[in-house]
Amino acid sequence: MFLHSVNLWNLAFYVFMVLLATLGLWDVFFGFEENKCSMSYMFEYPEYQKIELPKKLTKRYPAYELYLYGEGSYAEEHKILPLTGIPVLFLPGNAGSYKQVRSIGSIALRKAEDIDFKYHFDFFSVNFNEELVALYGGSLQKQTKFVHECIKAILKLYKGQEFAPTSVAIIGHSMGGLVARALLTLKNFKQDLINLLVTQATPHVAPVMPLDRFITEFYMTVNNYWILNARHINLTTLSVAGGFRDYQVRSGLTFLPKLSHHTSALSVVSSAVPKTWVSTDHLSIVWCKQLQLTTIRAFFDLIDADTKQITQKPKKKLSVLTHHFIRHPAKQFEENPSILSDLTGTSMWVPVKVSRWSYVAYNESDKIYFTFPLANHRKTFTHIYCQSTMLDTNSWIFGCINSTSMCRQGVDLSWKAELLPTIKSLTLRLQDYPSLSHVVVYVPSVHGSKFVVDCEFFKKETRSIQLPVTHLFSFGLSSRKVILNMSGLYYNIELLNFGQIYQAFKVNVVSKCSGGKEEITSIYKLHIPWSYEDSLTIAQVPSSTEISLKLHVAQPENDSHVALLKMYTSSDCQYEVTIKTSFPQILGQVVRFHGGALPAYVVSSILLAYGGQLYSLFSTGYCLEYSAILDKEAKPYKVDPFVIMVKFLLGYKWFKELWDAVLLPELDAIVLTSQSMCFPLVSLILFLFGTCTAYWSGLLSSTSVQLLSSLWLALKRPAELPKDIKVVHLQASLTTFRNSQPVNPKHSRRSEKKSNHHKDPSVQGLRLSANDAEDSLRMHGTVINLLTWVVLLSMPSLIYWLKNLRYYFQLNPDPCKPLAFLLIPAITILGNTHTVSVKSSKLLKTASQFPLPLAVGVIAFGSSHLYRVPCFVVIPLLFHALCNFM
């Protein structure tokens, strides 16, 4: 019944759209690096000691609990309170377990053991009963208030101790990080109760799926508070994202708003974190050993030796976090590092006058200082670059001021170096250091260790190469190429015109090497200067290496920086870099950034088809097939131009004032623009995907009804068309009636109407009732399709309610209650009436005109606020129901 009305071209189009959607989905769910995180293991059996809370608190929050994490002897000792360590509170996220604290808690315990418990951290964790707060936002405020009580209860456990804490550090995973930020919005909350906030894969900017208004309102409350009170918020905050492996929370949502007055906030992607350098998925970010080790190193560096608690100095906090999470100089953190270092002792001083130098150190018995005079090189070169494969934390490169061949004291340049996976490197612009006469590279005496030190002078023009990216619509058919044949150690490839989130490219680096060196390693680093989302690729050369280029955060309008591909290469190799557009990854970016809006576009397409069916019922007296009317009515030019026009007009003050005067909400397109998420033609692409999904959902609905009717026929064969409207029963009866009639392939309603006056009146009445039944079936099929999407969008609240039924019989607040009051009566009426009673209605023409503006409204106000979509569906259903009475 469904496929008969679709021509082959339309069917081919819908199949083609499915293929495109599949390419985009594959890129989101599978188009990333393998999981390179090491699992963090417990050395002793983990134990979770429940902290007794006041009875009033337990009664008010029966589903929530507070636990203290421990292992082995530590757990046994701390069963007898009070505590003596530094309190850290872990907040799990959506459906998260309080037991997720064990990874970071165990690593912190091992670190404390290494220093004989000079300092140690006590890790607490809140049990939120694994609530689905990403799906239902009604409990977020309740969680926030409970965490406030937990902080006060934790601090009471340290009363009477010599170094009793007055605040706690918080680690929040996913929505737990948002709950931690929401603490500041509570009336009686003192900001001093939190000394540090670290969030992991927390969507700070907006909810991943805004499925109810409570989530959206909670986000608005939190973000508005942080913006309006930026001057008074001194809380040092670090947000860590998982990168492209985390398809649940895209990294762009985790970046904290850059406020001019709030300078104590850092946002970084895990692939850019030194000593981590891996992308994590949404769950592995809490157990990824590399990331948790980095976090714990930072925590121990944050300890104040005088108070034996986390420092209260904002500057030191930010310095520590920058050191461990942004740029690591391959040295231990020092709050006030000494600039000058003594270069004394029995050491050899070896002058180096060449512009390119390499030294292999193996079993060195003496310390050696290699000196590079700068006077002559300043005339020819602009920069000096040095690297070492010895990854210890000692100073290794210095600058001498106004010396001849050696100096007793040198400027420690090691603090300006950068740690990479296989080397530590330093690049200096010579004109920035006019007082330096020499650069000194220090090679310590080593036994049994082999490492390589390289240095070279170069001109910036020879190592900075511009590579314009290919056009978005080249579809990978064209490419651009550069060849690096200067045998250098370091190159900067400037990726011109690369700054939008809808751009995606494949870069292929082919290396060809001469000589017989073994295990030559090259590092290719994508550096994004406007956000900390760098990624590294390590390649064994010679080889052919493919790198994906795409962004988490678009380049700000007032930012003039250029994305760079930094290449740390071998002087024995030549490199060829080719870039071309990756169409599947572009589709992946569309899905990643806008996939959540698809239900709005699906419902918009179904509403257009629904309006077309009502109008055909009004104008011709019968209802067109769903697939045929979908092809006819679901056109993007009926929706997009209105949204674009309104967005344009809102740029004018008079229209904006008029808009606000009638209390209309903000246009979703403006929200997307403020988040730099507007793709070219993105609305058109989403509309086509939405229409395709609407078609296949209609096919699935129709097929389901037919299968159920076949089952009904097998159980009970109806003798006549039913008087009541039960869709499966109606389909079964109609199938029986059709099978009992003579087969006439040329039969149609039009020919039937022309020949009606030649028929027997009883037969004519029977056929008319069959036509009415078919119209009713088609109309009800579309209504069921609409209702299916309403139910899907409301399902999260139902799941949340069922999961918490043992604690709360009634869902409070209930986001579906107002909708249900209107929807249930409308469906009750529509489910028990034929189209016969609708055809003669005076309201039918009006009812048929409502779906079009509502389809526009769904896109305008529901694409970023999905909870509004069912409201737009209820209105035409109500008018359709009223047609039975007027």
Side-chain angles (χ1 to χ4, degrees):
M1 180 186 83
F2 192 89
L3 289 173
H4 292 164
S5 58
V6 181
N7 62 47
L8 290 177
W9 286 109
N10 286 341
L11 186 60
F13 168 75
Y14 292 136
V15 172
F16 177 68
M17 293 305 298
V18 169
L19 292 176
L20 291 183
T22 303
L23 284 175
L25 289 169
W26 185 91
D27 179 71
V28 171
F29 293 105
F30 305 103
F32 42 69
E33 66 181 48
E34 63 180 4
N35 193 349
K36 297 179 182 178
C37 278
S38 300
M39 176 65 77
S40 51
Y41 295 97
M42 284 78 252
F43 288 84
E44 297 176 275
Y45 189 78
E47 294 186 34
Y48 306 90
Q49 180 183 348
K50 185 176 178 181
I51 303 298
E52 293 295 328
L53 299 173
K55 290 183 179 179
K56 288 184 178 180
L57 198 61
T58 305
K59 188 176 181 180
R60 194 186 313 163
Y61 306 102
Y64 300 162
E65 297 168 322
L66 177 65
Y67 288 88
L68 170 66
Y69 177 79
E71 295 177 18
S73 58
Y74 170 87
E76 290 297 323
E77 290 172 4
H78 288 82
K79 284 182 179 178
I80 304 174
L81 303 174
L83 304 174
T84 58
I86 304 168
V88 180
L89 178 60
F90 176 81
L91 304 180
N94 176 59
S97 169
Y98 66 95
K99 295 182 179 180
Q100 289 174 312
V101 72
R102 63 184 177 270
S103 295
I104 194 166
S106 181
I107 291 172
L109 187 58
R110 301 285 84 78
K111 176 75 172 175
E113 287 178 349
D114 291 342
I115 59 173
D116 295 326
F117 282 91
K118 180 182 179 181
Y119 310 113
H120 74 274
F121 289 91
D122 300 318
F123 275 83
F124 298 85
S125 184
V126 174
N127 178 16
F128 286 133
N129 191 35
E130 301 183 11
E131 289 182 335
L132 304 172
V133 287
L135 304 180
Y136 169 74
S139 61
L140 285 168
Q141 189 68 18
K142 183 170 59 176
Q143 287 190 0
T144 305
K145 292 179 179 179
F146 180 74
V147 171
H148 183 200
E149 298 299 330
C150 286
I151 292 173
K152 292 189 287 186
I154 288 169
L155 294 177
K156 286 180 181 178
L157 300 176
Y158 295 86
K159 276 194 173 180
Q161 299 302 307
E162 183 180 359
F163 299 100
T166 57
S167 59
V168 302
I170 294 182
I171 299 176
H173 173 240
S174 188
M175 295 298 287
L178 187 70
V179 168
R181 287 180 64 216
L183 285 167
L184 275 63
T185 67
L186 298 178
K187 289 183 179 180
N188 299 320
F189 185 80
K190 296 178 181 178
Q191 190 183 138
D192 295 340
L193 290 177
I194 309 176
N195 53 49
L196 178 68
L197 172 59
V198 177
T199 67
Q200 299 172 337
T202 296
H204 292 293
V205 177
V208 177
M209 294 288 284
L211 295 171
D212 66 55
R213 65 181 179 86
F214 306 120
I215 295 180
T216 306
E217 289 173 359
F218 189 80
Y219 266 88
M220 287 182 63
T221 301
V222 174
N223 286 331
N224 287 343
Y225 181 89
W226 279 61
I227 291 171
L228 295 174
N229 296 276
R231 289 179 179 272
H232 310 292
I233 295 177
N234 298 317
L235 176 60
T236 302
T237 308
L238 171 70
S239 174
V240 183
F244 287 109
R245 280 193 61 85
D246 189 350
Y247 51 78
Q248 294 185 46
V249 176
R250 62 176 179 84
S251 297
L253 291 176
T254 68
F255 279 68
L256 291 160
K258 291 184 178 179
L259 307 176
S260 57
H261 304 294
H262 188 206
T263 56
S264 298
L266 291 175
S267 302
V268 64
V269 179
S270 61
S271 59
V273 175
K275 295 190 177 184
T276 301
W277 296 306
V278 296
S279 177
T280 65
D281 59 54
H282 196 63
L283 293 179
S284 68
I285 198 169
V286 300
W287 57 255
C288 182
K289 187 176 180 179
Q290 295 96 313
L291 183 59
Q292 302 310 324
L293 281 170
T294 299
T295 305
I296 290 304
R297 291 189 198 106
F299 271 45
F300 275 88
D301 281 343
L302 284 166
I303 298 174
D304 188 318
D306 296 328
T307 64
K308 295 189 177 181
Q309 297 293 325
I310 288 179
T311 180
Q312 298 296 323
K313 301 175 184 177
K315 187 177 179 181
K316 180 180 178 180
K317 292 179 190 176
L318 199 62
S319 298
V320 170
L321 295 179
T322 302
H323 178 94
H324 287 281
F325 287 89
I326 305 300
R327 185 185 176 94
H328 199 297
K331 287 180 66 64
Q332 298 286 356
F333 174 79
E334 294 180 23
E335 186 175 358
N336 298 302
S338 56
I339 299 175
L340 296 177
S341 296
D342 292 330
L343 307 180
T344 56
T346 56
S347 305
M348 294 176 57
W349 287 78
V350 180
V352 180
K353 297 182 179 180
V354 295
S355 61
R356 182 175 298 153
W357 169 83
S358 181
Y359 183 79
V360 179
Y362 183 66
N363 282 334
E364 299 292 333
S365 58
D366 296 320
K367 303 175 183 177
I368 307 176
Y369 289 105
F370 292 94
T371 62
F372 297 81
L374 301 181
N376 293 331
H377 292 307
R378 289 183 188 275
K379 300 174 184 178
T380 312
F381 305 105
T382 60
H383 290 70
I384 181 174
Y385 170 82
C386 291
Q387 65 181 35
S388 173
T389 60
M390 188 174 186
L391 303 182
D392 64 349
T393 57
N394 295 318
S395 296
W396 62 285
I397 188 165
F398 307 89
C400 288
I401 300 175
N402 299 326
S403 64
T404 52
S405 59
M406 58 182 292
C407 55
R408 292 176 178 269
Q409 278 192 327
V411 178
D412 192 349
L413 300 174
S414 307
W415 290 102
K416 299 188 178 296
E418 181 182 14
L419 178 65
L420 295 168
T422 58
I423 60 172
K424 52 186 178 183
S425 68
L426 173 68
T427 304
L428 296 178
R429 190 169 69 164
L430 296 179
Q431 72 177 44
D432 293 340
Y433 300 88
S435 60
L436 294 186
S437 59
H438 292 74
V439 168
V440 180
V441 174
Y442 171 60
V443 175
S445 58
V446 291
H447 301 282
S449 298
K450 181 180 179 180
F451 64 95
V452 181
V453 183
D454 298 280
C455 286
E456 67 173 352
F457 291 88
F458 64 87
K459 275 187 177 182
K460 180 184 178 182
E461 297 78 16
T462 62
R463 301 301 173 85
S464 294
I465 300 157
Q466 294 185 340
L467 178 60
V469 298
T470 49
H471 195 271
L472 178 69
F473 297 109
S474 63
F475 300 107
L477 300 176
S478 63
S479 62
R480 287 180 176 147
K481 182 189 299 184
V482 293
I483 298 175
L484 314 178
N485 54 9
M486 295 191 62
S487 302
L489 297 171
Y490 173 75
Y491 293 91
N492 259 342
I493 297 181
E494 299 178 2
L495 302 170
L496 302 181
N497 307 317
F498 176 47
Q500 302 302 322
I501 53 177
Y502 55 80
Q503 294 176 297
F505 307 94
K506 283 185 178 179
V507 172
N508 192 42
V509 182
V510 178
S511 54
K512 298 177 183 178
C513 304
S514 60
K517 285 189 176 182
E518 297 180 357
E519 294 186 0
I520 301 176
T521 302
S522 292
I523 300 173
Y524 314 131
K525 178 180 179 180
L526 175 63
H527 174 60
I528 308 300
W530 55 84
S531 64
Y532 298 117
E533 54 176 286
D534 297 2
S535 59
L536 284 81
T537 302
I538 302 172
Q540 299 295 327
V541 294
S543 64
S544 176
T545 306
E546 188 174 273
I547 306 170
S548 293
L549 299 188
K550 49 194 175 187
L551 296 172
H552 298 291
V553 178
Q555 185 175 17
E557 291 183 3
N558 57 351
D559 194 296
S560 59
H561 291 92
V562 178
L564 300 173
L565 180 62
K566 295 186 174 184
M567 300 183 63
Y568 301 86
T569 56
S570 170
S571 59
D572 297 318
C573 301
Q574 290 187 351
Y575 297 81
E576 182 179 280
V577 182
T578 307
I579 187 170
K580 61 181 179 180
T581 300
S582 174
F583 185 63
Q585 291 189 62
I586 291 174
L587 293 174
Q589 290 291 81
V590 172
V591 173
R592 182 175 289 110
F593 283 85
H594 292 281
L598 184 63
Y601 284 86
V602 176
V603 172
S604 180
S605 295
I606 300 174
L607 280 173
L608 290 172
Y610 182 45
Q613 284 183 320
L614 288 173
Y615 186 76
S616 71
L617 203 61
F618 165 76
S619 59
T620 64
Y622 62 89
C623 181
L624 287 175
E625 181 104 17
Y626 172 77
S627 57
I629 201 70
L630 182 70
D631 176 53
K632 179 183 177 182
E633 297 292 336
K635 304 296 183 184
Y637 62 76
K638 293 186 176 183
V639 174
D640 282 346
F642 293 98
V643 178
I644 294 169
M645 183 175 64
V646 171
K647 181 184 175 183
F648 173 76
L649 289 173
L650 282 170
Y652 292 95
K653 185 178 180 181
W654 65 269
F655 191 81
K656 183 68 170 68
E657 290 175 351
L658 180 64
W659 185 273
D660 294 337
V662 294
L663 303 177
L664 287 172
E666 189 173 24
L667 201 68
D668 282 1
I670 293 178
V671 176
L672 296 178
T673 302
S674 67
Q675 297 174 8
S676 301
M677 281 178 55
C678 279
F679 286 36
L681 306 176
V682 67
S683 187
L684 174 62
I685 295 170
L686 287 173
F687 194 93
L688 295 177
F689 281 153
T691 304
C692 174
T693 307
Y695 167 78
W696 290 111
S697 68
L699 177 60
L700 179 63
S701 176
S702 176
T703 304
S704 301
V705 170
Q706 290 182 34
L707 289 174
L708 290 171
S709 69
S710 299
L711 180 62
W712 176 268
L713 285 173
L715 298 175
K716 180 180 179 181
R717 188 171 294 275
E720 58 181 7
L721 293 173
K723 295 180 180 179
D724 59 332
I725 303 298
K726 305 297 181 186
V727 175
V728 175
H729 190 188
L730 183 61
Q731 174 69 57
S733 304
L734 194 57
T735 302
T736 303
F737 174 74
R738 284 173 178 163
N739 293 338
S740 66
Q741 299 300 307
V743 178
N744 181 5
K746 295 183 179 180
H747 177 77
S748 68
R749 292 193 182 204
R750 189 172 295 177
S751 61
E752 183 179 299
K753 285 183 176 181
K754 291 180 180 179
S755 58
N756 272 345
H757 63 279
H758 300 297
K759 307 276 180 154
D760 182 84
S762 61
V763 176
Q764 182 179 346
L766 183 61
R767 287 189 175 170
L768 283 174
S769 62
N771 291 336
D772 290 337
E774 189 170 0
D775 287 341
S776 296
L777 188 62
R778 289 174 176 176
M779 204 75 250
H780 282 80
T782 305
V783 171
I784 288 173
N785 203 1
L786 276 173
L787 286 176
T788 300
W789 284 96
V790 171
V791 170
L792 287 174
L793 291 172
S794 305
M795 188 66 72
S797 297
L798 175 63
I799 296 172
Y800 179 91
W801 174 71
L802 290 173
K803 193 174 182 300
N804 290 273
L805 198 55
R806 59 175 174 164
Y807 299 106
Y808 312 101
F809 181 75
Q810 184 179 0
L811 184 63
N812 185 29
D814 186 354
C816 300
K817 186 183 291 185
L819 181 71
F821 282 139
L822 298 174
L823 191 60
I824 292 174
I827 296 307
T828 303
I829 295 169
L830 291 176
N832 290 280
T833 55
H834 286 277
T835 53
V836 176
S837 59
V838 175
K839 290 178 184 179
S840 58
S841 173
K842 296 177 181 180
L843 271 179
L844 182 57
K845 184 178 180 180
T846 304
S848 67
Q849 293 171 342
F850 261 92
L852 175 58
L854 292 172
V856 176
V858 167
I859 304 303
F861 304 110
S863 55
S864 294
H865 299 81
L866 292 178
Y867 63 89
R868 294 173 180 166
V869 173
C871 302
F872 289 97
V873 174
V874 169
I875 297 171
L877 292 177
L878 284 172
F879 273 88
H880 187 180
L882 288 173
C883 286
N884 291 279
F885 306 102
M886 299 177 67

